[in-house]
Amino acid sequence: MARTLKEIFKGFSKLNRKERLNALEESGVIESRDVDYLERGGMKDTSLGEKFIENVIGYFQIPLGVATNFRIDGKDYAIPMAVEETSIVAAASKTAKWIRENGEIKTEVIGSEIIGQIQCATVKNFALFESALLAQKKYLIEIANREVAFGLVRRGGGVTDMTVRRIPRGDGRDMAIVHVMMNPCDAMGANIINQVCEFLKEPIEQFTGEKVTMCILSNLVDTKITKAVIVLKGIASDLAEKIEEASLFAEQDPYRAATNNKGVLNGIDPILIATGNDWRAVEAGIHAFAARDGQYRSVTKWKREGDTLVGIFEAPLIVGVVGGVTTLHPTAALCMKMLGVTSANELSRVIAAVGLVQNLGALKALTTVGIIEGHMKLHIKNLTLGAGAQEGEVPIVQKKLEEILAIRKRISLSNAIEILNDLRASEQSPH
Ligand code: MEV
């Protein structure tokens, strides 16, 4: 009988790669052909790469891992993470387990529209431009939906609204910016919103008598926000207090906010990459949103409520589950299948949850043992091998490195080399 994700994730990190793949297959999130594909080392043939970009010379491989123990809105997930940084997958899995045992993760998407921008760099009279455009708004939306976004309209989306913003140029004159609002359904929507805006260029020029200077989507999608909330019960009051203090630091200080948000993105980017989504777009949106009141702030907040710790992530997180790399790249398609999300909103909610969990893991480590310990523990093996230890030497060097780490809270490649040299010297010595 198939085992559940919860069952296969017990001791998952202790399994070897083959066993992990078999366990995932057993749970039904991947199939035997996916196991074969991953065992063969994924995609090798560069002809698909040639379709994506220019001047292809090969693929750049980064590790693909699975974050375990995630239960989001009552559903269990196997989270694919493509990332090179040590500790990210381990910290996400460990923190998710902590939450699973002591609380819950809830998520929602607020709003449905993405934004396209049409710039008129100088307008003779902003008020006239605005009234001319708004007078034709209904018609413009209609033709954009009929001529360009008809596929989305069929699926319940499409262009829904247009607004006009006045932006001072700084030279006494005004710029007029038209915002085109569009529901992209399960697509990320970049191509289609850009097409809509370019299509609207000519009619807008006709109706307003002004010149359109450029058209492009905005990554600051403050009209569609993904929210994740973690509630952790029975948490030690000193730990909760420390996490609250760390949160305040990131809310108020942009230097800390940048690092805090980097930690959140440690959880977000690897899933975006694994699922073939545009991580630059999401990063740009999150950073712009973090600075929306004029000061760069954290996109997460933690508050203590009695013996409960409550964390919130809120930011635009625009992703797609249809079209582009997501469906074309076989590894991305495999990851999408493994994740088992059925809509763009569900994918966005899962990613937001992992970002917030990653943030909690980092804040817990930073306010207790520090970040080095967790990082370095996992790094010890790499240092040992990096120093050139041979099979029989590995356990001895690792053990010594662990001892140094416990005492000095720091460890480096030179420690590993020194230990190895001492070990070899003692083995050669006649005594
Ligand atoms: C390191 O990749 C991420 C952290 O710096 C995040 C943080 O400081 O919150 C640990």
Side-chain angles (χ1 to χ4, degrees), residues 85 88 256 259-264 266 359 362-363 366 371 375:
E85 189 177 324
I88 287 180
R256 172 59 203 152
T259 325
N260 178 85
N261 292 350
K262 191 273 179 185
V264 176
N266 275 349
N359 178 236
L363 297 188
L366 290 169
I371 203 69
H375 263 275

PDB file of all heavy atoms in Angstrom, residues 85 88 256 259-264 266 359 362-363 366 371 375, ligand 1:
ATOM      1  N   GLU A  85      22.923  26.547  -1.903  1.00  0.00           N
ATOM      2  CA  GLU A  85      23.404  26.945  -0.561  1.00  0.00           C
ATOM      3  C   GLU A  85      23.116  25.874   0.493  1.00  0.00           C
ATOM      4  O   GLU A  85      21.966  25.450   0.689  1.00  0.00           O
ATOM      5  CB  GLU A  85      22.743  28.277  -0.159  1.00  0.00           C
ATOM      6  CG  GLU A  85      23.342  28.865   1.113  1.00  0.00           C
ATOM      7  CD  GLU A  85      22.743  30.223   1.471  1.00  0.00           C
ATOM      8  OE1 GLU A  85      22.435  31.015   0.558  1.00  0.00           O
ATOM      9  OE2 GLU A  85      22.584  30.484   2.678  1.00  0.00           O
ATOM     10  N   ILE A  88      19.796  25.273   3.476  1.00  0.00           N
ATOM     11  CA  ILE A  88      18.468  25.816   3.175  1.00  0.00           C
ATOM     12  C   ILE A  88      17.401  24.714   3.243  1.00  0.00           C
ATOM     13  O   ILE A  88      16.378  24.864   3.925  1.00  0.00           O
ATOM     14  CB  ILE A  88      18.467  26.529   1.798  1.00  0.00           C
ATOM     15  CG1 ILE A  88      19.216  27.859   1.925  1.00  0.00           C
ATOM     16  CG2 ILE A  88      17.043  26.744   1.278  1.00  0.00           C
ATOM     17  CD1 ILE A  88      19.290  28.677   0.657  1.00  0.00           C
ATOM     18  N   ARG A 256      19.208  45.521   8.106  1.00  0.00           N
ATOM     19  CA  ARG A 256      18.778  44.201   8.578  1.00  0.00           C
ATOM     20  C   ARG A 256      17.654  43.648   7.683  1.00  0.00           C
ATOM     21  O   ARG A 256      17.610  42.449   7.397  1.00  0.00           O
ATOM     22  CB  ARG A 256      18.331  44.298  10.053  1.00  0.00           C
ATOM     23  CG  ARG A 256      17.685  43.040  10.606  1.00  0.00           C
ATOM     24  CD  ARG A 256      18.574  41.803  10.538  1.00  0.00           C
ATOM     25  NE  ARG A 256      17.756  40.595  10.557  1.00  0.00           N
ATOM     26  CZ  ARG A 256      18.092  39.431  10.008  1.00  0.00           C
ATOM     27  NH1 ARG A 256      19.255  39.276   9.410  1.00  0.00           N
ATOM     28  NH2 ARG A 256      17.275  38.410  10.057  1.00  0.00           N
ATOM     29  N   THR A 259      18.839  41.643   4.744  1.00  0.00           N
ATOM     30  CA  THR A 259      19.324  40.293   5.067  1.00  0.00           C
ATOM     31  C   THR A 259      18.175  39.381   5.464  1.00  0.00           C
ATOM     32  O   THR A 259      18.142  38.201   5.100  1.00  0.00           O
ATOM     33  CB  THR A 259      20.351  40.375   6.223  1.00  0.00           C
ATOM     34  OG1 THR A 259      21.085  41.570   6.074  1.00  0.00           O
ATOM     35  CG2 THR A 259      21.270  39.176   6.230  1.00  0.00           C
ATOM     36  N   ASN A 260      17.230  39.952   6.226  1.00  0.00           N
ATOM     37  CA  ASN A 260      16.034  39.182   6.593  1.00  0.00           C
ATOM     38  C   ASN A 260      15.323  38.700   5.329  1.00  0.00           C
ATOM     39  O   ASN A 260      14.983  37.514   5.201  1.00  0.00           O
ATOM     40  CB  ASN A 260      15.088  40.088   7.403  1.00  0.00           C
ATOM     41  CG  ASN A 260      13.794  39.393   7.794  1.00  0.00           C
ATOM     42  OD1 ASN A 260      13.725  38.696   8.796  1.00  0.00           O
ATOM     43  ND2 ASN A 260      12.756  39.555   6.997  1.00  0.00           N
ATOM     44  N   ASN A 261      15.135  39.629   4.381  1.00  0.00           N
ATOM     45  CA  ASN A 261      14.398  39.276   3.160  1.00  0.00           C
ATOM     46  C   ASN A 261      15.197  38.313   2.290  1.00  0.00           C
ATOM     47  O   ASN A 261      14.632  37.484   1.583  1.00  0.00           O
ATOM     48  CB  ASN A 261      14.011  40.541   2.381  1.00  0.00           C
ATOM     49  CG  ASN A 261      12.972  41.356   3.144  1.00  0.00           C
ATOM     50  OD1 ASN A 261      12.423  40.889   4.139  1.00  0.00           O
ATOM     51  ND2 ASN A 261      12.718  42.564   2.690  1.00  0.00           N
ATOM     52  N   LYS A 262      16.527  38.415   2.349  1.00  0.00           N
ATOM     53  CA  LYS A 262      17.359  37.439   1.630  1.00  0.00           C
ATOM     54  C   LYS A 262      17.061  36.043   2.179  1.00  0.00           C
ATOM     55  O   LYS A 262      16.961  35.060   1.445  1.00  0.00           O
ATOM     56  CB  LYS A 262      18.845  37.799   1.798  1.00  0.00           C
ATOM     57  CG  LYS A 262      19.771  37.004   0.884  1.00  0.00           C
ATOM     58  CD  LYS A 262      20.212  35.675   1.474  1.00  0.00           C
ATOM     59  CE  LYS A 262      21.114  34.910   0.529  1.00  0.00           C
ATOM     60  NZ  LYS A 262      21.457  33.576   1.009  1.00  0.00           N
ATOM     61  N   GLY A 263      16.919  35.964   3.497  1.00  0.00           N
ATOM     62  CA  GLY A 263      16.614  34.672   4.127  1.00  0.00           C
ATOM     63  C   GLY A 263      15.241  34.159   3.700  1.00  0.00           C
ATOM     64  O   GLY A 263      15.049  32.961   3.503  1.00  0.00           O
ATOM     65  N   VAL A 264      14.270  35.066   3.547  1.00  0.00           N
ATOM     66  CA  VAL A 264      12.936  34.672   3.071  1.00  0.00           C
ATOM     67  C   VAL A 264      13.066  34.145   1.643  1.00  0.00           C
ATOM     68  O   VAL A 264      12.501  33.105   1.278  1.00  0.00           O
ATOM     69  CB  VAL A 264      11.971  35.888   3.107  1.00  0.00           C
ATOM     70  CG1 VAL A 264      10.613  35.506   2.533  1.00  0.00           C
ATOM     71  CG2 VAL A 264      11.829  36.432   4.531  1.00  0.00           C
ATOM     72  N   ASN A 266      15.570  32.798   0.363  1.00  0.00           N
ATOM     73  CA  ASN A 266      16.221  31.478   0.390  1.00  0.00           C
ATOM     74  C   ASN A 266      15.184  30.376   0.264  1.00  0.00           C
ATOM     75  O   ASN A 266      15.458  29.299  -0.261  1.00  0.00           O
ATOM     76  CB  ASN A 266      16.960  31.265   1.720  1.00  0.00           C
ATOM     77  CG  ASN A 266      18.367  31.849   1.712  1.00  0.00           C
ATOM     78  OD1 ASN A 266      18.876  32.235   0.671  1.00  0.00           O
ATOM     79  ND2 ASN A 266      18.985  31.916   2.887  1.00  0.00           N
ATOM     80  N   ASN A 359      12.309  31.892   6.980  1.00  0.00           N
ATOM     81  CA  ASN A 359      12.596  33.061   7.808  1.00  0.00           C
ATOM     82  C   ASN A 359      12.569  32.687   9.300  1.00  0.00           C
ATOM     83  O   ASN A 359      13.480  33.055  10.063  1.00  0.00           O
ATOM     84  CB  ASN A 359      11.559  34.149   7.487  1.00  0.00           C
ATOM     85  CG  ASN A 359      11.708  35.419   8.309  1.00  0.00           C
ATOM     86  OD1 ASN A 359      10.760  35.846   8.974  1.00  0.00           O
ATOM     87  ND2 ASN A 359      12.865  36.035   8.280  1.00  0.00           N
ATOM     88  N   ALA A 362      15.676  30.764  10.194  1.00  0.00           N
ATOM     89  CA  ALA A 362      16.849  31.633  10.299  1.00  0.00           C
ATOM     90  C   ALA A 362      16.801  32.438  11.597  1.00  0.00           C
ATOM     91  O   ALA A 362      17.799  32.514  12.333  1.00  0.00           O
ATOM     92  CB  ALA A 362      16.912  32.572   9.091  1.00  0.00           C
ATOM     93  N   LEU A 363      15.629  33.002  11.916  1.00  0.00           N
ATOM     94  CA  LEU A 363      15.533  33.835  13.126  1.00  0.00           C
ATOM     95  C   LEU A 363      15.748  32.996  14.393  1.00  0.00           C
ATOM     96  O   LEU A 363      16.376  33.456  15.347  1.00  0.00           O
ATOM     97  CB  LEU A 363      14.182  34.551  13.196  1.00  0.00           C
ATOM     98  CG  LEU A 363      13.882  35.545  12.067  1.00  0.00           C
ATOM     99  CD1 LEU A 363      12.609  36.316  12.348  1.00  0.00           C
ATOM    100  CD2 LEU A 363      15.037  36.512  11.849  1.00  0.00           C
ATOM    101  N   LEU A 366      19.497  32.378  14.484  1.00  0.00           N
ATOM    102  CA  LEU A 366      20.263  33.606  14.753  1.00  0.00           C
ATOM    103  C   LEU A 366      20.122  34.073  16.194  1.00  0.00           C
ATOM    104  O   LEU A 366      21.055  34.646  16.759  1.00  0.00           O
ATOM    105  CB  LEU A 366      19.789  34.731  13.817  1.00  0.00           C
ATOM    106  CG  LEU A 366      20.157  34.570  12.342  1.00  0.00           C
ATOM    107  CD1 LEU A 366      19.419  35.579  11.476  1.00  0.00           C
ATOM    108  CD2 LEU A 366      21.654  34.716  12.136  1.00  0.00           C
ATOM    109  N   ILE A 371      24.153  31.405  13.392  1.00  0.00           N
ATOM    110  CA  ILE A 371      23.960  30.791  12.076  1.00  0.00           C
ATOM    111  C   ILE A 371      25.102  29.837  11.720  1.00  0.00           C
ATOM    112  O   ILE A 371      24.923  28.889  10.972  1.00  0.00           O
ATOM    113  CB  ILE A 371      23.794  31.890  10.987  1.00  0.00           C
ATOM    114  CG1 ILE A 371      23.054  31.348   9.774  1.00  0.00           C
ATOM    115  CG2 ILE A 371      25.109  32.498  10.557  1.00  0.00           C
ATOM    116  CD1 ILE A 371      21.624  31.042  10.018  1.00  0.00           C
ATOM    117  N   HIS A 375      25.090  25.913   9.724  1.00  0.00           N
ATOM    118  CA  HIS A 375      25.745  25.913   8.422  1.00  0.00           C
ATOM    119  C   HIS A 375      26.958  24.995   8.433  1.00  0.00           C
ATOM    120  O   HIS A 375      27.163  24.193   7.545  1.00  0.00           O
ATOM    121  CB  HIS A 375      26.267  27.328   8.103  1.00  0.00           C
ATOM    122  CG  HIS A 375      25.329  28.105   7.249  1.00  0.00           C
ATOM    123  ND1 HIS A 375      25.333  28.008   5.898  1.00  0.00           N
ATOM    124  CD2 HIS A 375      24.371  28.990   7.561  1.00  0.00           C
ATOM    125  CE1 HIS A 375      24.412  28.808   5.410  1.00  0.00           C
ATOM    126  NE2 HIS A 375      23.816  29.416   6.397  1.00  0.00           N
TER     127      HIS A 375
HETATM  128  C1  MEV B   1      21.706  33.329   4.905  1.00  0.00           C
HETATM  129  O1  MEV B   1      21.633  32.764   3.615  1.00  0.00           O
HETATM  130  C2  MEV B   1      20.353  33.891   5.318  1.00  0.00           C
HETATM  131  C3  MEV B   1      20.329  34.628   6.668  1.00  0.00           C
HETATM  132  O2  MEV B   1      21.302  35.648   6.669  1.00  0.00           O
HETATM  133  C4  MEV B   1      18.941  35.193   6.830  1.00  0.00           C
HETATM  134  C5  MEV B   1      18.775  36.113   8.006  1.00  0.00           C
HETATM  135  O3  MEV B   1      19.757  36.747   8.460  1.00  0.00           O
HETATM  136  O4  MEV B   1      17.628  36.250   8.448  1.00  0.00           O
HETATM  137  C6  MEV B   1      20.654  33.697   7.790  1.00  0.00           C
END
